[in-house]
Amino acid sequence: MEEEKSSSPRTTTTTHIALVSIPALSHQVSILEFAKRLLNLHHNHHHFHVTCIIPTLPSQNNNTFFFDSLPPNIHCIFLPPVNFDDLRNDSSMSLEAQLSLAISRSLPSIREALNTLNSTTNNNLVALVVDAIAHEALHFGKDLKNKNKPLSSYIYFACSAMLLSLCLHSRKLDQIVPCEYRDYPNLIQIPGCISVHGKDLPNSVQDRSSLAYKLYLRRCKDYFLADGILVNSFIEMEQGAFQSFLSQSQEEVIIPPVYAIGPITQTSGGRNNNNGWECLQWLDNQPPKSVLYVSFGSGGTLSQEQINELALGLELSGHRFLWANVREPNDKACASYLSGDGAEPLSFLPEGFTERTKEKGLVLGSWVPQIEVLGHGSVGAFLSHCGWNSVLESVVKGVPMIAWPLFAEQRTNAAMVTDSLRVALRPNNDNNNGVVLKEEIADIIKRLMEGSEGEEIRRRMEKLKDLAGCAFMEDGSSTKTLSKLALIWKSMAP
């Protein structure tokens, strides 16, 4: 049934936690980094064992370096790939719908893995924690018994508290807003957060007649069934959102306990390929805070026209840059999210660009150790797709941002970092068929890297960095919350 990584679960008495992730590396990294945080709590790391069940897709390449580097008391089970042959020619299905369908088709294997795990852990399996997109697996906790009681079941919400607030408010919004959200003339009010334009809500809500929207509403409804929701954020960054969960529970609906356990980020990007070494060595030779790091994440893609404009804008700005994960052009922003890298990226760049910028720029077509890049003293800013992992990594390292969202919830994240936290600038792509032109790209780079506006943003990001560091100190807010969870789970063990 399954392919196993790491060692087998211990037979000694431990508190055992089961995780269920989704076929997306960014989500897998986040939930497993959470597991590492749990194990590393100073007073209980010898008492926990974690097993993570991971559905897979046929086209997926697992990052073996990350999984091979996990500690021995984290055990991963990779399920057999789901069959998507019937959807091979369906280009209309959104990313969110594909991931949800992958989980639905993996449910029998997930159930079998959980039953096997529960029968072989000496009844020490005390809690089930499922990725927010794997919400259907939440119901399995009711079938698994610990001390003749249903297993405690939790949602791991790998995104912001702002997005969770939107999800928990979704049914009410669905009744209030009479049209497509993007066409709504008023701002969308999200409890405890800034109000946003409808166009900045996640992709999954942008077509209310679509399968993706129906799945989104079903997912949000299931969140209320959880015994708790673990959010990868911290109170000091999203105080209003976390406060709103308490007030809504008192006034409108009963929201499960919400635990702020972030910022959970990858602790090391690793240096297991030549590009990882090359980019860090290149950064070693650049002046402090002089480099703009450009990356659209593990799957973001740009059109050929936008690649041209971005390249020429970087050149026009006159600033140093490291552009990583450059991929084959595609008009679908998430084209590479569920598949491997395409052809040689340098062939898609404007003619002569690489030669003209070789003294100031480095372009790479594959993975780089992002957490180490952001922590490098030469990096002064981050042009990012605003995936939540990247946002948190930028916060943890104190690097101001240019917000360039592509798909999923990235526009909502961009609105937060730009308009609420004010640690980012955002280019305008309302004109020119959504293409950001080279002149605006050059201008926004200069605004962030030079002058008083960039300095103010940098100061705010430094303050946020300090707050993020405090959250995981021994008496920090997130450490206390995670310790509280650990004590709850340990109390359930025999």
Side-chain angles (χ1 to χ4, degrees):
M1 179 196 71
E2 66 216 25
E3 173 193 350
E4 297 188 358
K5 293 282 184 181
S6 184
S7 60
S8 299
R10 293 177 181 177
T11 58
T12 55
T13 301
T14 57
T15 302
H16 206 114
I17 309 296
L19 311 179
V20 178
S21 189
I22 64 171
L25 181 61
S26 59
H27 284 244
Q28 294 163 12
V29 168
S30 184
I31 200 168
L32 287 166
E33 289 289 352
F34 152 72
K36 287 161 69 174
R37 288 277 189 182
L38 175 67
L39 297 175
N40 288 334
L41 286 174
H42 69 282
H43 59 281
N44 66 13
H45 67 281
H46 292 298
H47 303 284
F48 278 92
H49 189 97
V50 175
T51 298
C52 187
I53 300 167
I54 303 176
T56 62
L57 297 173
S59 60
Q60 216 165 16
N61 295 318
N62 289 318
N63 184 336
T64 57
F65 175 80
F66 174 76
F67 293 107
D68 290 344
S69 67
L70 292 172
N73 43 357
I74 296 179
H75 168 231
C76 290
I77 299 173
F78 291 92
L79 300 180
V82 295
N83 191 329
F84 268 16
D85 288 346
D86 56 322
L87 301 173
R88 187 170 294 172
N89 298 320
D90 186 359
S91 59
S92 64
M93 180 170 285
S94 69
L95 170 64
E96 292 87 346
Q98 289 183 63
L99 291 173
S100 293
L101 185 59
I103 294 300
S104 295
R105 294 185 177 186
S106 296
L107 286 176
S109 296
I110 293 172
R111 179 192 288 273
E112 182 181 349
L114 285 170
N115 285 337
T116 300
L117 192 64
N118 195 41
S119 64
T120 57
T121 56
N122 301 324
N123 204 32
N124 293 334
L125 185 62
V126 301
L128 173 65
V129 182
V130 306
D131 185 284
I133 297 178
H135 61 99
E136 292 173 284
L138 195 71
H139 301 278
F140 294 153
K142 307 302 178 186
D143 302 327
L144 299 170
K145 302 293 184 181
N146 175 266
K147 297 180 180 178
N148 296 318
K149 295 180 181 179
L151 209 65
S152 294
S153 302
Y154 297 79
I155 291 287
Y156 181 79
F157 201 79
C159 302
S160 67
M162 177 178 178
L163 187 64
L164 177 60
S165 183
L166 173 68
C167 291
L168 297 176
H169 194 54
S170 61
R171 293 180 68 186
K172 189 170 184 179
L173 274 179
D174 189 58
Q175 297 169 354
I176 293 173
V177 178
C179 57
E180 293 290 359
Y181 291 108
R182 59 180 175 271
D183 299 326
Y184 193 52
N186 303 322
L187 291 173
I188 304 293
Q189 296 182 353
I190 303 175
C193 308
I194 59 167
S195 298
V196 300
H197 295 284
K199 65 181 181 180
D200 281 335
L201 295 183
N203 282 34
S204 53
V205 309
Q206 292 300 339
D207 180 357
R208 295 173 74 174
S209 64
S210 68
L211 172 63
Y213 186 64
K214 293 178 175 64
L215 291 172
Y216 165 79
L217 290 179
R218 187 187 308 166
R219 184 163 69 241
C220 295
K221 182 180 179 182
D222 273 357
Y223 293 168
F224 290 92
L225 303 177
D227 293 304
I229 303 175
L230 285 53
V231 183
N232 188 12
S233 186
F234 57 105
I235 292 171
E236 293 82 358
M237 185 165 78
E238 298 191 80
Q239 191 166 4
F242 285 109
Q243 185 60 42
S244 75
F245 301 139
L246 297 174
S247 60
Q248 287 181 77
S249 291
Q250 294 168 359
E251 298 172 9
E252 300 175 19
V253 294
I254 297 177
I255 293 175
V258 177
Y259 301 90
I261 58 165
I264 303 289
T265 61
Q266 196 165 352
T267 50
S268 173
R271 302 188 184 189
N272 67 320
N273 73 358
N274 291 333
N275 284 337
W277 284 108
E278 180 184 359
C279 73
L280 294 172
Q281 290 173 345
W282 182 83
L283 286 172
D284 288 341
N285 296 319
Q286 309 309 314
K289 306 295 183 185
S290 66
V291 176
L292 173 69
Y293 170 53
V294 181
S295 175
F296 294 96
S298 57
T301 49
L302 303 176
S303 67
Q304 180 65 71
E305 183 179 4
Q306 187 60 85
I307 286 177
N308 292 342
E309 293 294 328
L310 176 54
L312 296 175
L314 290 169
E315 181 180 0
L316 187 60
S317 76
H319 281 275
R320 290 174 170 82
F321 63 88
L322 167 61
W323 186 1
N325 296 314
V326 184
R327 294 185 178 86
E328 183 176 0
N330 197 300
D331 290 335
K332 191 173 182 181
C334 61
S336 293
Y337 194 74
L338 298 176
S339 61
D341 290 328
E344 168 56 48
L346 301 187
S347 64
F348 310 121
L349 299 174
E351 186 176 355
F353 167 75
T354 306
E355 180 64 24
R356 293 193 304 270
T357 60
K358 64 181 180 180
E359 299 300 325
K360 286 194 171 183
L362 178 63
V363 183
L364 297 171
S366 61
W367 172 94
V368 299
Q370 179 163 291
I371 196 71
E372 294 178 22
V373 168
L374 289 172
H376 198 286
S378 295
V379 173
F382 181 16
L383 192 158
S384 171
H385 65 307
C386 289
W388 190 241
N389 282 353
S390 289
V391 169
L392 289 181
E393 288 171 359
S394 205
V395 167
V396 166
K397 297 301 182 181
V399 181
M401 305 172 69
I402 294 174
W404 192 311
L406 297 178
F407 59 91
E409 87 293 351
Q410 294 165 12
R411 285 188 294 272
T412 311
N413 296 340
M416 178 204 287
V417 296
T418 305
D419 301 327
S420 178
L421 299 174
R422 296 186 299 147
V423 294
L425 296 176
R426 185 175 179 181
N428 178 19
N429 65 346
D430 290 337
N431 303 314
N432 309 300
N433 296 318
V435 174
V436 185
L437 298 179
K438 61 184 178 183
E439 292 83 5
E440 179 162 4
I441 294 168
D443 177 66
I444 204 167
I445 292 171
K446 290 178 181 178
R447 285 168 55 197
L448 188 59
M449 301 288 283
E450 307 169 8
S452 59
E453 184 178 21
E455 281 300 315
E456 284 298 317
I457 291 172
R458 199 173 306 280
R459 275 195 286 271
R460 284 191 286 269
M461 186 59 104
E462 279 293 329
K463 182 177 180 181
L464 195 57
K465 172 188 175 182
D466 292 341
L467 292 173
C470 290
F472 268 120
M473 289 183 176
E474 187 171 334
D475 61 346
S477 59
S478 294
T479 299
K480 287 180 177 178
T481 300
L482 196 53
S483 295
K484 177 182 177 181
L485 263 176
L487 290 172
I488 291 173
W489 290 340
K490 286 174 68 177
S491 70
M492 299 174 181

